[in-house]
Amino acid sequence: SAVELPEGLEAIVHGAGGFAMGYPATTKDGISYSLQNDVPYQLRLATALFTALGRSPNDKFGVVKTGQGHYEFTPDEPEPLGLRCVTLSTPLAKLTEPIMWSAASAEKYLGQWYGEPVIKECLAKTQVSSLEDIFGPGEYKICPKDLFRLEQSTTITTSPLLPPHFYRALLAITGDASHIQ
């Protein structure tokens, strides 16, 4: 028998029905890009947002977890980059000004992080002239309190079978490339 959902929740579930693997983005011209496969990592919006928030330049070199030794990659594939550190110059709780966010501002911040020539090359490889061709022309206001709430709501749940001490030890081990086989 079918489970009956409350009216508001039912609309949300039906609205999410269009999920497709590969995280496609469809442009105003109807061209679809897989954000997973077609868009180089240098054009990812998370890096642009962290740069806008004052990400430390030292993060370019530090990793929380390396990509070495992962079984899902074959020798002829490039080594995965690993999980990069993210250190902000100003804690989210101390931000005061909203960020006006658009594809154009994201492109600017990505140019600051990776360098303009790298971004131009990635755009050409993706066969677009700007990030607006992929993500659209919209502009959004991101308030500091929303970013802080997002940070505060991010939790890692453990259980008596997986206590916090075990999780911290696991992070320490996996963060050291010498322990990865």
Side-chain angles (χ1 to χ4, degrees), residues 38-73:
D38 299 332
V39 178
Y41 73 88
Q42 295 95 334
L43 301 181
R44 301 285 167 90
L45 298 180
T47 301
L49 182 59
F50 286 138
T51 304
L53 292 170
R55 186 176 187 180
S56 168
N58 294 332
D59 289 350
K60 290 181 183 180
F61 310 107
V63 291
V64 174
K65 165 92 177 63
T66 71
Q68 294 174 341
H70 286 275
Y71 66 88
E72 64 269 25
F73 293 93

PDB file of all heavy atoms in Angstrom, residues 38-73:
ATOM      1  N   ASP A  38      31.377  16.585 -17.639  1.00  0.00           N
ATOM      2  CA  ASP A  38      31.716  17.506 -18.721  1.00  0.00           C
ATOM      3  C   ASP A  38      32.378  18.794 -18.259  1.00  0.00           C
ATOM      4  O   ASP A  38      33.033  19.463 -19.044  1.00  0.00           O
ATOM      5  CB  ASP A  38      30.454  17.886 -19.522  1.00  0.00           C
ATOM      6  CG  ASP A  38      29.792  16.684 -20.169  1.00  0.00           C
ATOM      7  OD1 ASP A  38      30.507  15.705 -20.477  1.00  0.00           O
ATOM      8  OD2 ASP A  38      28.565  16.708 -20.356  1.00  0.00           O
ATOM      9  N   VAL A  39      32.163  19.171 -17.020  1.00  0.00           N
ATOM     10  CA  VAL A  39      32.668  20.445 -16.524  1.00  0.00           C
ATOM     11  C   VAL A  39      33.915  20.181 -15.677  1.00  0.00           C
ATOM     12  O   VAL A  39      33.842  19.478 -14.667  1.00  0.00           O
ATOM     13  CB  VAL A  39      31.594  21.189 -15.692  1.00  0.00           C
ATOM     14  CG1 VAL A  39      32.142  22.488 -15.144  1.00  0.00           C
ATOM     15  CG2 VAL A  39      30.355  21.442 -16.549  1.00  0.00           C
ATOM     16  N   PRO A  40      35.077  20.709 -16.077  1.00  0.00           N
ATOM     17  CA  PRO A  40      36.307  20.476 -15.315  1.00  0.00           C
ATOM     18  C   PRO A  40      36.170  20.971 -13.871  1.00  0.00           C
ATOM     19  O   PRO A  40      35.449  21.920 -13.584  1.00  0.00           O
ATOM     20  CB  PRO A  40      37.361  21.306 -16.060  1.00  0.00           C
ATOM     21  CG  PRO A  40      36.792  21.555 -17.408  1.00  0.00           C
ATOM     22  CD  PRO A  40      35.304  21.567 -17.244  1.00  0.00           C
ATOM     23  N   TYR A  41      36.899  20.306 -12.972  1.00  0.00           N
ATOM     24  CA  TYR A  41      36.811  20.666 -11.560  1.00  0.00           C
ATOM     25  C   TYR A  41      37.195  22.128 -11.322  1.00  0.00           C
ATOM     26  O   TYR A  41      36.738  22.741 -10.360  1.00  0.00           O
ATOM     27  CB  TYR A  41      37.644  19.716 -10.690  1.00  0.00           C
ATOM     28  CG  TYR A  41      39.143  19.922 -10.794  1.00  0.00           C
ATOM     29  CD1 TYR A  41      39.804  20.828  -9.974  1.00  0.00           C
ATOM     30  CD2 TYR A  41      39.896  19.209 -11.713  1.00  0.00           C
ATOM     31  CE1 TYR A  41      41.167  21.015 -10.079  1.00  0.00           C
ATOM     32  CE2 TYR A  41      41.259  19.395 -11.819  1.00  0.00           C
ATOM     33  CZ  TYR A  41      41.892  20.293 -10.991  1.00  0.00           C
ATOM     34  OH  TYR A  41      43.246  20.491 -11.089  1.00  0.00           O
ATOM     35  N   GLN A  42      38.007  22.712 -12.192  1.00  0.00           N
ATOM     36  CA  GLN A  42      38.414  24.112 -12.012  1.00  0.00           C
ATOM     37  C   GLN A  42      37.248  25.077 -12.197  1.00  0.00           C
ATOM     38  O   GLN A  42      37.366  26.249 -11.877  1.00  0.00           O
ATOM     39  CB  GLN A  42      39.531  24.488 -12.987  1.00  0.00           C
ATOM     40  CG  GLN A  42      40.827  23.747 -12.748  1.00  0.00           C
ATOM     41  CD  GLN A  42      40.944  22.505 -13.621  1.00  0.00           C
ATOM     42  OE1 GLN A  42      39.954  21.910 -14.039  1.00  0.00           O
ATOM     43  NE2 GLN A  42      42.179  22.094 -13.884  1.00  0.00           N
ATOM     44  N   LEU A  43      36.123  24.607 -12.718  1.00  0.00           N
ATOM     45  CA  LEU A  43      34.957  25.470 -12.922  1.00  0.00           C
ATOM     46  C   LEU A  43      33.860  25.204 -11.888  1.00  0.00           C
ATOM     47  O   LEU A  43      32.740  25.667 -12.043  1.00  0.00           O
ATOM     48  CB  LEU A  43      34.397  25.292 -14.336  1.00  0.00           C
ATOM     49  CG  LEU A  43      35.351  25.604 -15.481  1.00  0.00           C
ATOM     50  CD1 LEU A  43      34.651  25.396 -16.823  1.00  0.00           C
ATOM     51  CD2 LEU A  43      35.899  27.023 -15.380  1.00  0.00           C
ATOM     52  N   ARG A  44      34.167  24.480 -10.846  1.00  0.00           N
ATOM     53  CA  ARG A  44      33.165  24.139  -9.833  1.00  0.00           C
ATOM     54  C   ARG A  44      32.878  25.351  -8.946  1.00  0.00           C
ATOM     55  O   ARG A  44      33.769  26.087  -8.537  1.00  0.00           O
ATOM     56  CB  ARG A  44      33.632  22.970  -8.975  1.00  0.00           C
ATOM     57  CG  ARG A  44      33.925  21.711  -9.778  1.00  0.00           C
ATOM     58  CD  ARG A  44      32.638  21.020 -10.227  1.00  0.00           C
ATOM     59  NE  ARG A  44      32.856  19.999 -11.223  1.00  0.00           N
ATOM     60  CZ  ARG A  44      33.094  18.727 -10.952  1.00  0.00           C
ATOM     61  NH1 ARG A  44      33.183  18.318  -9.720  1.00  0.00           N
ATOM     62  NH2 ARG A  44      33.254  17.878 -11.940  1.00  0.00           N
ATOM     63  N   LEU A  45      31.614  25.529  -8.636  1.00  0.00           N
ATOM     64  CA  LEU A  45      31.178  26.712  -7.892  1.00  0.00           C
ATOM     65  C   LEU A  45      31.613  26.711  -6.433  1.00  0.00           C
ATOM     66  O   LEU A  45      31.786  27.772  -5.841  1.00  0.00           O
ATOM     67  CB  LEU A  45      29.658  26.857  -7.992  1.00  0.00           C
ATOM     68  CG  LEU A  45      29.117  27.066  -9.403  1.00  0.00           C
ATOM     69  CD1 LEU A  45      27.602  27.191  -9.381  1.00  0.00           C
ATOM     70  CD2 LEU A  45      29.745  28.282 -10.052  1.00  0.00           C
ATOM     71  N   ALA A  46      31.818  25.544  -5.838  1.00  0.00           N
ATOM     72  CA  ALA A  46      32.226  25.499  -4.431  1.00  0.00           C
ATOM     73  C   ALA A  46      33.576  26.192  -4.239  1.00  0.00           C
ATOM     74  O   ALA A  46      33.753  26.962  -3.291  1.00  0.00           O
ATOM     75  CB  ALA A  46      32.284  24.063  -3.933  1.00  0.00           C
ATOM     76  N   THR A  47      34.509  25.949  -5.157  1.00  0.00           N
ATOM     77  CA  THR A  47      35.824  26.595  -5.045  1.00  0.00           C
ATOM     78  C   THR A  47      35.679  28.109  -5.170  1.00  0.00           C
ATOM     79  O   THR A  47      36.324  28.861  -4.437  1.00  0.00           O
ATOM     80  CB  THR A  47      36.778  26.067  -6.130  1.00  0.00           C
ATOM     81  OG1 THR A  47      36.902  24.652  -5.971  1.00  0.00           O
ATOM     82  CG2 THR A  47      38.155  26.714  -6.033  1.00  0.00           C
ATOM     83  N   ALA A  48      34.818  28.554  -6.070  1.00  0.00           N
ATOM     84  CA  ALA A  48      34.598  29.996  -6.234  1.00  0.00           C
ATOM     85  C   ALA A  48      34.019  30.596  -4.961  1.00  0.00           C
ATOM     86  O   ALA A  48      34.452  31.664  -4.517  1.00  0.00           O
ATOM     87  CB  ALA A  48      33.657  30.254  -7.417  1.00  0.00           C
ATOM     88  N   LEU A  49      33.050  29.915  -4.353  1.00  0.00           N
ATOM     89  CA  LEU A  49      32.442  30.443  -3.125  1.00  0.00           C
ATOM     90  C   LEU A  49      33.453  30.495  -1.994  1.00  0.00           C
ATOM     91  O   LEU A  49      33.534  31.492  -1.278  1.00  0.00           O
ATOM     92  CB  LEU A  49      31.232  29.603  -2.722  1.00  0.00           C
ATOM     93  CG  LEU A  49      30.493  30.088  -1.467  1.00  0.00           C
ATOM     94  CD1 LEU A  49      29.984  31.519  -1.635  1.00  0.00           C
ATOM     95  CD2 LEU A  49      29.353  29.146  -1.127  1.00  0.00           C
ATOM     96  N   PHE A  50      34.252  29.450  -1.836  1.00  0.00           N
ATOM     97  CA  PHE A  50      35.275  29.478  -0.786  1.00  0.00           C
ATOM     98  C   PHE A  50      36.267  30.615  -1.018  1.00  0.00           C
ATOM     99  O   PHE A  50      36.718  31.262  -0.078  1.00  0.00           O
ATOM    100  CB  PHE A  50      36.018  28.146  -0.702  1.00  0.00           C
ATOM    101  CG  PHE A  50      35.215  27.039  -0.072  1.00  0.00           C
ATOM    102  CD1 PHE A  50      35.238  25.772  -0.618  1.00  0.00           C
ATOM    103  CD2 PHE A  50      34.439  27.270   1.051  1.00  0.00           C
ATOM    104  CE1 PHE A  50      34.503  24.744  -0.047  1.00  0.00           C
ATOM    105  CE2 PHE A  50      33.705  26.251   1.637  1.00  0.00           C
ATOM    106  CZ  PHE A  50      33.729  24.976   1.089  1.00  0.00           C
ATOM    107  N   THR A  51      36.615  30.875  -2.269  1.00  0.00           N
ATOM    108  CA  THR A  51      37.529  31.979  -2.583  1.00  0.00           C
ATOM    109  C   THR A  51      36.876  33.316  -2.235  1.00  0.00           C
ATOM    110  O   THR A  51      37.510  34.189  -1.649  1.00  0.00           O
ATOM    111  CB  THR A  51      37.949  31.941  -4.062  1.00  0.00           C
ATOM    112  OG1 THR A  51      38.519  30.656  -4.338  1.00  0.00           O
ATOM    113  CG2 THR A  51      38.965  33.024  -4.384  1.00  0.00           C
ATOM    114  N   ALA A  52      35.596  33.459  -2.567  1.00  0.00           N
ATOM    115  CA  ALA A  52      34.863  34.686  -2.231  1.00  0.00           C
ATOM    116  C   ALA A  52      34.814  34.900  -0.725  1.00  0.00           C
ATOM    117  O   ALA A  52      34.820  36.037  -0.245  1.00  0.00           O
ATOM    118  CB  ALA A  52      33.443  34.627  -2.800  1.00  0.00           C
ATOM    119  N   LEU A  53      34.796  33.804   0.029  1.00  0.00           N
ATOM    120  CA  LEU A  53      34.727  33.893   1.489  1.00  0.00           C
ATOM    121  C   LEU A  53      36.094  34.098   2.135  1.00  0.00           C
ATOM    122  O   LEU A  53      36.198  34.183   3.351  1.00  0.00           O
ATOM    123  CB  LEU A  53      34.083  32.628   2.058  1.00  0.00           C
ATOM    124  CG  LEU A  53      32.599  32.444   1.732  1.00  0.00           C
ATOM    125  CD1 LEU A  53      32.131  31.059   2.136  1.00  0.00           C
ATOM    126  CD2 LEU A  53      31.769  33.520   2.404  1.00  0.00           C
ATOM    127  N   GLY A  54      37.153  34.146   1.319  1.00  0.00           N
ATOM    128  CA  GLY A  54      38.484  34.399   1.869  1.00  0.00           C
ATOM    129  C   GLY A  54      39.276  33.135   2.146  1.00  0.00           C
ATOM    130  O   GLY A  54      39.986  33.048   3.149  1.00  0.00           O
ATOM    131  N   ARG A  55      39.177  32.164   1.262  1.00  0.00           N
ATOM    132  CA  ARG A  55      39.923  30.917   1.437  1.00  0.00           C
ATOM    133  C   ARG A  55      41.419  31.186   1.435  1.00  0.00           C
ATOM    134  O   ARG A  55      41.929  31.953   0.623  1.00  0.00           O
ATOM    135  CB  ARG A  55      39.561  29.953   0.316  1.00  0.00           C
ATOM    136  CG  ARG A  55      40.161  28.586   0.471  1.00  0.00           C
ATOM    137  CD  ARG A  55      39.679  27.668  -0.611  1.00  0.00           C
ATOM    138  NE  ARG A  55      40.119  26.308  -0.366  1.00  0.00           N
ATOM    139  CZ  ARG A  55      39.836  25.299  -1.158  1.00  0.00           C
ATOM    140  NH1 ARG A  55      39.109  25.490  -2.235  1.00  0.00           N
ATOM    141  NH2 ARG A  55      40.277  24.094  -0.882  1.00  0.00           N
ATOM    142  N   SER A  56      42.132  30.538   2.333  1.00  0.00           N
ATOM    143  CA  SER A  56      43.568  30.715   2.452  1.00  0.00           C
ATOM    144  C   SER A  56      44.294  30.183   1.225  1.00  0.00           C
ATOM    145  O   SER A  56      44.022  29.065   0.780  1.00  0.00           O
ATOM    146  CB  SER A  56      44.080  29.974   3.689  1.00  0.00           C
ATOM    147  OG  SER A  56      45.489  29.910   3.677  1.00  0.00           O
ATOM    148  N   PRO A  57      45.243  30.959   0.666  1.00  0.00           N
ATOM    149  CA  PRO A  57      46.035  30.470  -0.477  1.00  0.00           C
ATOM    150  C   PRO A  57      46.829  29.211  -0.139  1.00  0.00           C
ATOM    151  O   PRO A  57      47.162  28.436  -1.023  1.00  0.00           O
ATOM    152  CB  PRO A  57      46.983  31.632  -0.788  1.00  0.00           C
ATOM    153  CG  PRO A  57      46.343  32.820  -0.176  1.00  0.00           C
ATOM    154  CD  PRO A  57      45.559  32.333   1.011  1.00  0.00           C
ATOM    155  N   ASN A  58      47.113  28.975   1.136  1.00  0.00           N
ATOM    156  CA  ASN A  58      47.836  27.757   1.529  1.00  0.00           C
ATOM    157  C   ASN A  58      47.030  26.496   1.250  1.00  0.00           C
ATOM    158  O   ASN A  58      47.582  25.404   1.182  1.00  0.00           O
ATOM    159  CB  ASN A  58      48.209  27.811   3.008  1.00  0.00           C
ATOM    160  CG  ASN A  58      49.216  28.903   3.289  1.00  0.00           C
ATOM    161  OD1 ASN A  58      50.006  29.275   2.422  1.00  0.00           O
ATOM    162  ND2 ASN A  58      49.167  29.448   4.478  1.00  0.00           N
ATOM    163  N   ASP A  59      45.710  26.632   1.095  1.00  0.00           N
ATOM    164  CA  ASP A  59      44.854  25.477   0.817  1.00  0.00           C
ATOM    165  C   ASP A  59      45.157  24.845  -0.536  1.00  0.00           C
ATOM    166  O   ASP A  59      44.756  23.715  -0.788  1.00  0.00           O
ATOM    167  CB  ASP A  59      43.368  25.870   0.847  1.00  0.00           C
ATOM    168  CG  ASP A  59      42.871  26.175   2.244  1.00  0.00           C
ATOM    169  OD1 ASP A  59      43.604  25.906   3.216  1.00  0.00           O
ATOM    170  OD2 ASP A  59      41.750  26.680   2.359  1.00  0.00           O
ATOM    171  N   LYS A  60      45.857  25.571  -1.411  1.00  0.00           N
ATOM    172  CA  LYS A  60      46.184  25.017  -2.729  1.00  0.00           C
ATOM    173  C   LYS A  60      47.121  23.826  -2.599  1.00  0.00           C
ATOM    174  O   LYS A  60      47.210  22.992  -3.489  1.00  0.00           O
ATOM    175  CB  LYS A  60      46.831  26.085  -3.615  1.00  0.00           C
ATOM    176  CG  LYS A  60      45.877  27.165  -4.048  1.00  0.00           C
ATOM    177  CD  LYS A  60      46.561  28.167  -4.942  1.00  0.00           C
ATOM    178  CE  LYS A  60      45.586  29.268  -5.301  1.00  0.00           C
ATOM    179  NZ  LYS A  60      46.158  30.278  -6.160  1.00  0.00           N
ATOM    180  N   PHE A  61      47.837  23.753  -1.484  1.00  0.00           N
ATOM    181  CA  PHE A  61      48.862  22.727  -1.338  1.00  0.00           C
ATOM    182  C   PHE A  61      48.505  21.667  -0.307  1.00  0.00           C
ATOM    183  O   PHE A  61      49.018  20.567  -0.353  1.00  0.00           O
ATOM    184  CB  PHE A  61      50.194  23.380  -0.975  1.00  0.00           C
ATOM    185  CG  PHE A  61      50.533  24.518  -1.894  1.00  0.00           C
ATOM    186  CD1 PHE A  61      50.446  25.827  -1.458  1.00  0.00           C
ATOM    187  CD2 PHE A  61      50.898  24.272  -3.204  1.00  0.00           C
ATOM    188  CE1 PHE A  61      50.729  26.879  -2.315  1.00  0.00           C
ATOM    189  CE2 PHE A  61      51.189  25.323  -4.065  1.00  0.00           C
ATOM    190  CZ  PHE A  61      51.108  26.621  -3.620  1.00  0.00           C
ATOM    191  N   GLY A  62      47.634  22.002   0.641  1.00  0.00           N
ATOM    192  CA  GLY A  62      47.316  21.053   1.700  1.00  0.00           C
ATOM    193  C   GLY A  62      46.118  20.200   1.363  1.00  0.00           C
ATOM    194  O   GLY A  62      45.177  20.642   0.723  1.00  0.00           O
ATOM    195  N   VAL A  63      46.166  18.945   1.776  1.00  0.00           N
ATOM    196  CA  VAL A  63      45.023  18.063   1.597  1.00  0.00           C
ATOM    197  C   VAL A  63      44.676  17.413   2.934  1.00  0.00           C
ATOM    198  O   VAL A  63      45.541  17.124   3.743  1.00  0.00           O
ATOM    199  CB  VAL A  63      45.269  16.958   0.540  1.00  0.00           C
ATOM    200  CG1 VAL A  63      45.353  17.521  -0.849  1.00  0.00           C
ATOM    201  CG2 VAL A  63      46.494  16.140   0.867  1.00  0.00           C
ATOM    202  N   VAL A  64      43.387  17.228   3.149  1.00  0.00           N
ATOM    203  CA  VAL A  64      42.924  16.500   4.316  1.00  0.00           C
ATOM    204  C   VAL A  64      43.130  15.012   4.049  1.00  0.00           C
ATOM    205  O   VAL A  64      43.497  14.245   4.910  1.00  0.00           O
ATOM    206  CB  VAL A  64      41.422  16.786   4.571  1.00  0.00           C
ATOM    207  CG1 VAL A  64      40.884  15.916   5.687  1.00  0.00           C
ATOM    208  CG2 VAL A  64      41.214  18.254   4.872  1.00  0.00           C
ATOM    209  N   LYS A  65      42.898  14.611   2.812  1.00  0.00           N
ATOM    210  CA  LYS A  65      43.002  13.215   2.401  1.00  0.00           C
ATOM    211  C   LYS A  65      43.527  13.198   0.974  1.00  0.00           C
ATOM    212  O   LYS A  65      42.999  13.871   0.121  1.00  0.00           O
ATOM    213  CB  LYS A  65      41.602  12.590   2.460  1.00  0.00           C
ATOM    214  CG  LYS A  65      41.437  11.282   1.762  1.00  0.00           C
ATOM    215  CD  LYS A  65      41.678  10.149   2.707  1.00  0.00           C
ATOM    216  CE  LYS A  65      41.459   8.799   2.083  1.00  0.00           C
ATOM    217  NZ  LYS A  65      42.343   8.496   1.008  1.00  0.00           N
ATOM    218  N   THR A  66      44.589  12.432   0.728  1.00  0.00           N
ATOM    219  CA  THR A  66      45.125  12.353  -0.626  1.00  0.00           C
ATOM    220  C   THR A  66      44.259  11.442  -1.484  1.00  0.00           C
ATOM    221  O   THR A  66      43.439  10.689  -0.966  1.00  0.00           O
ATOM    222  CB  THR A  66      46.570  11.797  -0.643  1.00  0.00           C
ATOM    223  OG1 THR A  66      46.516  10.417  -0.310  1.00  0.00           O
ATOM    224  CG2 THR A  66      47.478  12.555   0.291  1.00  0.00           C
ATOM    225  N   GLY A  67      44.480  11.489  -2.765  1.00  0.00           N
ATOM    226  CA  GLY A  67      43.770  10.613  -3.680  1.00  0.00           C
ATOM    227  C   GLY A  67      44.565   9.363  -4.008  1.00  0.00           C
ATOM    228  O   GLY A  67      44.143   8.554  -4.811  1.00  0.00           O
ATOM    229  N   GLN A  68      45.737   9.189  -3.412  1.00  0.00           N
ATOM    230  CA  GLN A  68      46.593   8.062  -3.753  1.00  0.00           C
ATOM    231  C   GLN A  68      46.007   6.744  -3.243  1.00  0.00           C
ATOM    232  O   GLN A  68      45.451   6.683  -2.147  1.00  0.00           O
ATOM    233  CB  GLN A  68      47.976   8.243  -3.133  1.00  0.00           C
ATOM    234  CG  GLN A  68      48.718   9.422  -3.708  1.00  0.00           C
ATOM    235  CD  GLN A  68      50.028   9.669  -2.992  1.00  0.00           C
ATOM    236  OE1 GLN A  68      50.225   9.209  -1.882  1.00  0.00           O
ATOM    237  NE2 GLN A  68      50.919  10.408  -3.634  1.00  0.00           N
ATOM    238  N   GLY A  69      46.152   5.721  -4.042  1.00  0.00           N
ATOM    239  CA  GLY A  69      45.807   4.384  -3.605  1.00  0.00           C
ATOM    240  C   GLY A  69      44.346   4.011  -3.709  1.00  0.00           C
ATOM    241  O   GLY A  69      43.942   2.978  -3.197  1.00  0.00           O
ATOM    242  N   HIS A  70      43.527   4.828  -4.366  1.00  0.00           N
ATOM    243  CA  HIS A  70      42.113   4.499  -4.486  1.00  0.00           C
ATOM    244  C   HIS A  70      41.925   3.442  -5.566  1.00  0.00           C
ATOM    245  O   HIS A  70      42.368   3.604  -6.694  1.00  0.00           O
ATOM    246  CB  HIS A  70      41.284   5.751  -4.795  1.00  0.00           C
ATOM    247  CG  HIS A  70      41.134   6.627  -3.607  1.00  0.00           C
ATOM    248  ND1 HIS A  70      40.154   6.437  -2.675  1.00  0.00           N
ATOM    249  CD2 HIS A  70      41.875   7.666  -3.159  1.00  0.00           C
ATOM    250  CE1 HIS A  70      40.268   7.332  -1.712  1.00  0.00           C
ATOM    251  NE2 HIS A  70      41.311   8.085  -1.993  1.00  0.00           N
ATOM    252  N   TYR A  71      41.248   2.362  -5.220  1.00  0.00           N
ATOM    253  CA  TYR A  71      41.110   1.228  -6.128  1.00  0.00           C
ATOM    254  C   TYR A  71      40.284   1.533  -7.373  1.00  0.00           C
ATOM    255  O   TYR A  71      40.411   0.863  -8.378  1.00  0.00           O
ATOM    256  CB  TYR A  71      40.486   0.042  -5.394  1.00  0.00           C
ATOM    257  CG  TYR A  71      39.059   0.288  -4.962  1.00  0.00           C
ATOM    258  CD1 TYR A  71      37.999   0.011  -5.806  1.00  0.00           C
ATOM    259  CD2 TYR A  71      38.781   0.840  -3.716  1.00  0.00           C
ATOM    260  CE1 TYR A  71      36.700   0.256  -5.429  1.00  0.00           C
ATOM    261  CE2 TYR A  71      37.480   1.084  -3.325  1.00  0.00           C
ATOM    262  CZ  TYR A  71      36.443   0.785  -4.186  1.00  0.00           C
ATOM    263  OH  TYR A  71      35.169   1.036  -3.796  1.00  0.00           O
ATOM    264  N   GLU A  72      39.421   2.556  -7.322  1.00  0.00           N
ATOM    265  CA  GLU A  72      38.533   2.802  -8.460  1.00  0.00           C
ATOM    266  C   GLU A  72      39.234   3.510  -9.625  1.00  0.00           C
ATOM    267  O   GLU A  72      38.637   3.722 -10.660  1.00  0.00           O
ATOM    268  CB  GLU A  72      37.286   3.591  -8.026  1.00  0.00           C
ATOM    269  CG  GLU A  72      37.569   4.984  -7.522  1.00  0.00           C
ATOM    270  CD  GLU A  72      37.801   5.074  -6.018  1.00  0.00           C
ATOM    271  OE1 GLU A  72      38.197   4.094  -5.393  1.00  0.00           O
ATOM    272  OE2 GLU A  72      37.601   6.152  -5.470  1.00  0.00           O
ATOM    273  N   PHE A  73      40.490   3.874  -9.456  1.00  0.00           N
ATOM    274  CA  PHE A  73      41.228   4.538 -10.527  1.00  0.00           C
ATOM    275  C   PHE A  73      42.254   3.573 -11.112  1.00  0.00           C
ATOM    276  O   PHE A  73      42.951   2.887 -10.386  1.00  0.00           O
ATOM    277  CB  PHE A  73      41.925   5.805 -10.007  1.00  0.00           C
ATOM    278  CG  PHE A  73      40.938   6.856  -9.608  1.00  0.00           C
ATOM    279  CD1 PHE A  73      40.503   6.957  -8.299  1.00  0.00           C
ATOM    280  CD2 PHE A  73      40.397   7.715 -10.544  1.00  0.00           C
ATOM    281  CE1 PHE A  73      39.564   7.902  -7.934  1.00  0.00           C
ATOM    282  CE2 PHE A  73      39.461   8.664 -10.197  1.00  0.00           C
ATOM    283  CZ  PHE A  73      39.043   8.757  -8.886  1.00  0.00           C
TER     284      PHE A  73
END
